[in-house]
Amino acid sequence: MLKQKQALITVLSFIIACILFTLITFSLTENAGFVFSWVTAFIILCILFIIRYHLNRFLSKRVEQKILYEGDTGLLARFIERLRFSYTLDDFIKSVCDVCEDEGGISVLYVDKADSRVLYSSPSHIASQEETLQKLNLNFNADWKDGWYFFERNLGLVSETSGAHGFFLVSEKRHVYFFCRYTRLFDEVIFEKLFDEFKRFQLCEKTITKMSEISSLSKEWALLADTQKSFLPKTMPKIPKLDIAAYYRPLVNVSGDYYTVLPISPEKTLVMLGDVSGKGLAAALIMGLVMNTVKILKDKENLRGIITSVDKAIKSMNLDDKYTVMFIGLIDTKKMTVKYINASMSDPVIISRSLEGGRLRYLKSNASLVGIIAMEDVEPAEQKLYTGDVLLIASDGVSETMNETGIELGETEQYERLLKKSFVKSARSFINDISDLIFAYSGGQIRDDITMLALKVGESV
């Protein structure tokens, strides 16, 4: 229904634009004092095309809102929203109980076909009945292809929702069945969205389970550290007009620092660096959760959406003293800009050429701590970039490195001079110069994790 209505809106807006073009051109040609030309026609067409585009977009969003979120399909839309912030089996079950069962009267059966075990069954007769499970096992085996499907009253497969008494999702040998007699009322567009969110939930659940199992069953923290490092980029991606280098040195095996560089398009690149409060297992779990949350988000240009999702994910873990500071930036090498949100990170800096040498432009914090206090409405900031600029993002282990007298490196002219002098080098040489200074300044007595990310604009590796 949604796709048909959106297609109808597209056709109608095109017809309206054609009618308007005809009326306008006819009116102008009838005006004796006006000289009509192809240039005039082209300008009118451009204006009408812009109006049609925005009108089509507005009406399509209104129709989507009404069909998917305000009508019968809104029940599944609410379940998807709850599932988006579910990270464990308990979270999943709570979402099912609150939305599917309590609101919609839908019974749910969640089965792991690989292990032949029921993960959850609604207390209703049909979902908990042994005969139902046997029939489903017979009709839909463990090798069933991933996707979403519909079944009729006798639990046989049907191709359309009109005769369906339920539907089920399949992902990596896990099946979740929804027994719902009014399945025909749901717009079919919602099932793809639900399937994508179910896959995302499974990935999150595996991440949390894997790290938790390692921590409880293994005394080898090196194994946990190796698992944690798997979330970090093994090598920097090759991106046109960007020379990228990273430095990562945990104080102990397990760190709360994290970073990533994610190409979105040939011109746009998402960069992120952050630091979780504290050390040990809890910090490592939050670090993995943050990295995984950002990785699976589809819209990586929406910085506000990214930081809000990370905030909700951390809060869902119910670890009262855990939070993260983080910097996320969207570098656009076509527009030569960096749009960013700095959530209480030690000031990242852009170093540019000037007549006096390097000029430092600090990217001040414009958001609060993430995951522990109420998240205010965050507005990304933007800075202009120039060829040869270097963006340096670093955890506080860099600026707070101390010498024997207790003076922090970030407060010294020595550190500032190095930034202004070395930024003309490659990103790797620049990072190496900073790390050499850190160890020389501290006498090798490092007291915190050290993580740095340098991106030089206008030059490729």
Side-chain angles (χ1 to χ4, degrees):
M1 183 184 297
L2 175 61
K3 289 182 178 179
Q4 290 90 330
K5 287 194 174 184
Q6 287 180 332
L8 180 61
I9 288 171
T10 301
V11 172
L12 288 176
S13 64
F14 178 77
I15 293 173
I16 291 170
C18 291
I19 293 172
L20 287 175
F21 177 74
T22 303
L23 291 174
I24 292 171
T25 53
F26 178 77
S27 176
L28 291 177
T29 52
E30 288 295 305
N31 188 339
F34 183 83
V35 180
F36 188 78
S37 68
W38 287 110
V39 175
T40 305
F42 178 73
I43 293 173
I44 294 171
L45 274 175
C46 289
I47 294 172
L48 289 176
F49 176 79
I50 293 171
I51 294 172
R52 173 184 171 272
Y53 170 78
H54 287 288
L55 178 63
N56 186 68
R57 187 177 180 183
F58 172 76
L59 292 176
S60 294
K61 283 187 175 295
R62 284 295 303 139
V63 168
E64 180 178 349
Q65 176 68 27
K66 189 169 184 62
I67 292 178
L68 296 189
Y69 300 97
E70 296 176 9
D72 295 306
T73 310
L75 177 75
L76 290 187
R78 289 191 294 276
F79 179 61
I80 289 172
E81 186 63 24
R82 285 290 300 270
L83 193 58
R84 183 168 293 126
F85 300 105
S86 297
Y87 300 94
T88 65
L89 180 59
D90 288 342
D91 292 340
F92 177 84
I93 294 172
K94 185 72 166 59
S95 300
V96 166
C97 293
D98 291 347
V99 182
C100 296
E101 295 175 355
D102 293 348
E103 285 190 44
I106 300 174
S107 297
V108 177
L109 179 62
Y110 188 21
V111 182
D112 187 339
K113 293 281 188 175
D115 296 338
S116 299
R117 61 192 175 100
V118 174
L119 301 174
Y120 175 73
S121 173
S122 294
S124 67
H125 174 71
I126 189 169
S128 59
Q129 194 175 29
E130 182 63 29
E131 182 183 344
T132 299
L133 182 60
Q134 290 175 355
K135 201 163 192 178
L136 290 172
N137 286 336
L138 181 64
N139 291 345
F140 314 116
N141 59 34
D143 295 324
W144 202 266
K145 185 179 178 181
D146 287 3
W148 64 96
Y149 305 90
F150 307 102
F151 56 81
E152 40 83 49
R153 182 193 304 270
N154 296 318
L155 305 183
L157 194 67
V158 292
S159 58
E160 297 180 354
T161 59
S162 57
H165 276 237
F167 57 95
F168 66 102
L169 311 173
V170 180
S171 178
E172 296 185 1
K173 298 188 183 300
R174 286 195 174 187
H175 296 204
V176 55
Y177 301 91
F178 297 82
F179 301 91
C180 176
R181 293 183 178 180
Y182 56 90
T183 299
R184 67 186 185 283
L185 300 179
F186 297 138
D187 192 285
E188 293 196 21
V189 171
I190 202 70
F191 294 105
E192 181 176 1
K193 295 179 182 290
L194 179 57
F195 175 66
D196 288 342
E197 206 55 53
F198 179 59
K199 288 196 300 181
R200 184 213 62 82
F201 160 71
Q202 283 192 298
L203 180 60
C204 288
E205 185 192 17
K206 284 181 180 179
T207 299
I208 299 300
T209 301
K210 183 178 181 181
M211 297 192 77
S212 298
E213 285 176 352
I214 290 173
S215 64
S216 60
L217 299 176
S218 175
K219 296 181 180 179
E220 296 293 332
W221 280 79
L223 182 58
L224 180 57
D226 289 342
T227 302
Q228 186 185 35
K229 286 178 183 177
S230 68
F231 289 102
L232 302 174
K234 292 181 175 63
T235 58
M236 288 294 100
K238 305 292 185 182
I239 301 175
K241 296 185 180 180
L242 281 182
D243 177 17
I244 311 169
Y247 182 93
Y248 174 74
R249 181 188 176 96
L251 179 63
V252 292
N253 282 340
V254 179
S255 168
D257 285 4
Y258 54 89
Y259 68 93
T260 193
V261 178
L262 299 173
I264 299 174
S265 71
E267 297 85 19
K268 294 181 180 179
T269 304
L270 180 74
V271 297
M272 177 179 70
L273 190 145
D275 182 4
V276 178
S277 60
K279 308 291 180 195
L281 172 62
L285 287 172
I286 296 296
M287 173 268 192
L289 181 64
V290 172
M291 293 290 287
N292 193 58
T293 299
V294 174
K295 178 182 177 182
I296 62 181
L297 286 174
K298 290 186 176 179
D299 186 1
K300 291 184 172 59
E301 295 188 38
N302 184 359
L303 302 185
R304 184 185 302 170
I306 291 174
I307 206 162
T308 300
S309 297
V310 170
D311 181 67
K312 289 181 179 180
I314 295 175
K315 286 174 179 173
S316 73
M317 295 291 288
N318 296 316
L319 301 172
D320 295 335
D321 61 340
K322 288 301 166 194
Y323 60 88
T324 185
V325 297
M326 63 184 300
F327 175 92
I328 51 173
L330 183 66
I331 297 176
D332 190 325
T333 54
K334 184 177 181 180
K335 294 182 179 179
M336 292 297 282
T337 58
V338 56
K339 185 182 294 184
Y340 67 91
I341 294 176
N342 180 6
S344 304
M345 281 285 295
S346 298
D347 296 338
V349 60
I350 298 173
I351 313 162
S352 305
R353 290 189 176 95
S354 69
L355 295 176
E356 295 77 25
R359 178 169 65 94
L360 306 183
R361 288 182 285 156
Y362 289 99
L363 308 182
K364 299 294 184 181
S365 175
N366 56 358
S368 61
L369 302 174
V370 181
I372 194 169
I373 60 178
M375 175 63 70
E376 72 274 17
D377 189 21
V378 181
E379 188 64 35
E382 188 171 276
Q383 281 281 348
K384 183 69 177 173
L385 295 174
Y386 302 93
T387 299
D389 280 3
V390 172
L391 170 61
L392 173 65
I393 317 162
S395 62
D396 57 12
V398 176
S399 61
E400 295 179 3
T401 295
M402 293 183 182
N403 63 9
E404 67 278 1
T405 61
I407 299 175
E408 294 183 352
L409 177 61
E411 299 175 356
T412 65
E413 291 185 5
Q414 184 180 2
Y415 179 62
E416 187 173 310
R417 282 198 305 271
L418 177 72
L419 297 185
K420 291 180 177 180
K421 179 182 177 182
S422 290
F423 86 99
V424 296
K425 300 180 180 181
S426 69
R428 173 51 56 198
S429 297
F430 177 60
I431 287 286
N432 289 344
D433 285 351
I434 298 174
S435 63
D436 289 344
L437 175 62
I438 290 170
F439 282 92
Y441 186 79
S442 66
Q445 300 301 310
I446 303 302
R447 298 179 176 84
D448 200 355
D449 305 322
I450 297 174
T451 306
M452 295 182 283
L453 191 59
L455 303 102
K456 190 164 190 175
V457 183
E459 300 179 18
S460 300
V461 182

